[in-house]
Amino acid sequence: MSINHPNFGKLAEDRVIIFDTTLRDGEQSPGFSMNLAEKLRMAEALAELGVDVIEAGFPIASPGDFESVQSIARAIKGPVIAGLARCAQGDILRAAEAVRDAERRRIHIFLSTSPLHMKYKLRMEPDAVLQQVIDSVTLARQHTDDVEWSAEDGSRTDPDFLCRCVEAAIKAGATTINIPDTVGYALPEDMHRIFTMVRERVPGAERAIFSTHNHNDLGLAVANTIAAVAAGARQIECTINGIGERAGNAALEEVVMAIRTRPDAVPCKPAIVTERIMATSKLLSTITGFDVQPNKAIVGRNAFAHESGIHQDGVLKNAATYEIMTPESVGLTKNSLVMGKHSGRAAFRDKLRALGYGELGDNHVNDAFRRFKDLADRKKIVYDEDIVALVDDEIVRDHDRIRFVSLDVHAGSRGPARAELELEIDGTTQSATASGDGPVDATFSAIQQIFPHQARLVLFSIGAVTEGTDAQARTTVRLEEGGKMVDGQGADTDTIVAATRAYVHALNKLLVKRARTEPEALSA
Ligand code: KIV
Ligand code: ZN
């Protein structure tokens, strides 16, 4: 019998499903929490990128998580929307409710199967674990036909027990079986062996899609993913920029471009619009405040830069000498002069569409246009990157409780700096004046006066969005409060305004984090 998946139908031999977990595994890692508006914007971008499944969150984790999974399920058309659940009735019912209104939905349940996890984390005997797999998949199937079951810590699970659990899950109705390398311990040959074994040994294996989910603790997540696909896995779980627990998950952009660049070795076709990769990666960086490292594969600043004379000479003669894929194929285009201060709203809307912001509502367009005009007044050349920074800033701050309004700073070498700041807190404008040792110190003291908080500033960095002395500054601020760490970002031609926006962004993220209560044993 061949696979006839409830959401994907008859799956072609060479089709590989891209399951993006940026909003779940990625979002649950330190410093990467997002608010509702940010998650919705990210989910839209993932849909435009062409991912097949969006794992939107872990609904039982908190009311906020539930709300964001439900909102994504209601708003995003195209991809299957998945909600994560432990193998427990309460989790499954909550996940079922959160994804109920999706055009296409999935419940993803997981339970540990390794000796270590069963003994110390679950404190359960193997037979009880097996029974829980059957009960929970059966329950989930009462709410949707598309049920994924994951053997947490699968790569360190006894092979016979893994096969028994997988068989039981398929019999109970699981349509996708995921075997994660939860702790990033496996080597590529382990993954190849495990997937080959399970597919050969488990009766009924041909009725399920096998999925691979790899963590990057040894830097092998992408290699392990490719090895699993070579052994028959037809779903890849991954995240944008490789974010995720600890060292992260397999990076979507790396896996997809590896498959696309080496069809000879990996004869599979992900349905990803690769030209959207760069924009999606940048959007995530803007939202989370974490830039990728310059030498990051595919999306790093240097990924397509040729510095040495020999390489430059080769590339000029024939790009294929040193480029295994084109920059354009991942959406990297040269800085282009876009518009000046005389450009109108219609041209601005066209530009937004070209940059991939097709579905923006009028309010967002109007706000972004106002900021664009302001920027064009202050800056000689406005590049695509400037517009992206500005629009992302505008959209992702939509639901923020604290918003930047205005700032006047007096600073110099002759005395303490003075900052007059206006912020909007829950819709009410408040102001403060503070002095300090330099303009940043004065401004951050004014923020503290308007919105008193205990958070400690642990990192402050400044970069430039584009080139030139009139370039927008992009600043990152990291705050720490009670062991919780958040990063905020802000962009503006005025460095102190950019820093203020970044601080305010970080504070908003801290408020989201404070409201969040992690459920017990959430180690996925
Ligand atoms: O790493 C893991 O095991 C997970 C599961 C929930 C799939 O994230
Ligand atoms: Zn994981």
Side-chain angles (χ1 to χ4, degrees), residues 133-436:
V133 172
I134 297 168
D135 294 346
S136 52
V137 173
T138 306
L139 175 63
R141 273 302 301 257
Q142 289 164 13
H143 296 271
T144 171
D145 289 344
D146 186 342
V147 172
E148 171 170 341
W149 178 73
S150 284
E152 191 185 0
D153 206 16
S155 57
R156 294 193 299 171
T157 295
D158 168 72
D160 289 339
F161 186 60
L162 182 62
C163 286
R164 284 175 66 206
C165 289
V166 169
E167 182 181 353
I170 295 173
K171 263 204 191 126
T175 42
T176 299
I177 298 292
N178 184 35
I179 305 176
D181 183 28
T182 303
V183 291
Y185 174 77
L187 303 181
E189 51 264 45
D190 297 326
M191 292 322 285
H192 197 279
R193 183 174 27 79
I194 292 169
F195 277 84
T196 305
M197 173 206 63
V198 176
R199 291 183 63 235
E200 279 174 7
R201 278 183 49 187
V202 171
E206 69 287 352
R207 294 203 307 270
I209 291 174
F210 280 86
S211 168
T212 184
H213 174 117
N214 297 290
H215 281 270
N216 206 29
D217 301 66
L218 294 174
L220 292 170
V222 171
N224 286 342
T225 302
I226 300 292
V229 172
R234 282 294 170 268
Q235 176 176 284
I236 294 171
E237 304 201 357
C238 47
T239 58
I240 300 297
N241 297 347
I243 69 170
E245 282 283 355
R246 305 180 309 280
N249 288 66
L252 180 148
E253 61 279 5
E254 295 179 22
V255 172
V256 166
M257 291 315 287
I259 295 176
R260 189 176 146 152
T261 306
R262 294 298 307 274
D264 55 322
V266 201
C268 276
K269 288 201 182 85
I272 292 294
V273 185
T274 60
E275 292 77 11
R276 295 287 313 149
I277 283 178
M278 209 68 208
T280 317
S281 161
K282 279 192 177 157
L283 175 65
L284 182 66
S285 293
T286 303
I287 288 175
T288 59
F290 284 106
D291 277 336
V292 297
Q293 84 259 23
N295 61 326
K296 163 86 175 61
I298 317 295
V299 292
R301 197 172 58 237
N302 296 349
F304 291 89
H306 301 282
E307 191 67 30
S308 95
I310 296 174
H311 287 203
Q312 285 176 352
D313 182 52
V315 169
L316 286 174
K317 287 176 176 148
N318 180 341
T321 51
Y322 287 100
E323 272 178 12
I324 57 169
M325 57 202 145
T326 65
E328 290 77 19
S329 66
V330 300
L332 191 65
T333 47
K334 293 224 161 20
N335 281 353
S336 58
L337 173 59
V338 283
M339 295 178 300
K341 59 181 174 182
H342 302 298
S343 307
R345 198 178 301 259
F348 184 68
R349 220 184 227 288
D350 275 355
K351 175 50 82 179
L352 292 183
R353 270 191 214 106
L355 290 172
Y357 297 102
E359 305 304 325
L360 273 192
D362 283 347
N363 285 351
H364 280 135
V365 174
N366 291 344
D367 289 347
F369 184 64
R370 208 171 306 124
R371 280 187 67 182
F372 158 72
K373 280 292 197 186
D374 182 44
L375 185 65
D377 266 345
R378 288 182 284 148
K379 195 170 181 301
K380 282 198 269 323
I381 303 172
V382 180
Y383 295 104
D384 285 358
E385 282 89 338
D386 289 315
I387 296 201
V388 168
L390 177 158
V391 175
D392 285 346
D393 201 62
E394 201 51 53
I395 296 166
V396 302
R397 312 281 179 266
D398 209 24
H399 288 217
D400 283 356
R401 286 184 53 200
I402 313 170
R403 298 171 72 88
F404 172 81
V405 179
S406 72
L407 175 68
D408 281 311
V409 175
H410 179 83
S413 57
R414 285 203 209 141
R418 228 172 82 91
E420 284 174 33
L421 176 68
E422 280 188 321
L423 297 179
E424 197 183 281
I425 314 282
D426 293 327
T428 308
T429 303
Q430 298 186 30
S431 56
T433 302
S435 54

Side-chain angles (χ1 to χ4, degrees), residues 19-30 32-34 55-58 65 84 108 152 178 180-182 213-215 237-239 242-250 516 522-524:
F19 174 115
D20 181 276
T21 183
T22 305
L23 295 173
R24 198 279 298 168
D25 211 321
E27 203 260 350
Q28 90 194 19
S29 57
F32 284 94
S33 54
M34 303 177 212
E55 186 163 54
F58 190 9
D65 277 54
L84 184 70
H108 174 196
E152 191 185 0
N178 184 35
D181 183 28
T182 303
H213 174 117
N214 297 290
H215 281 270
E237 304 201 357
C238 47
T239 58
I243 69 170
E245 282 283 355
R246 305 180 309 280
N249 288 66
R516 197 169 210 185
L522 171 54
S523 60

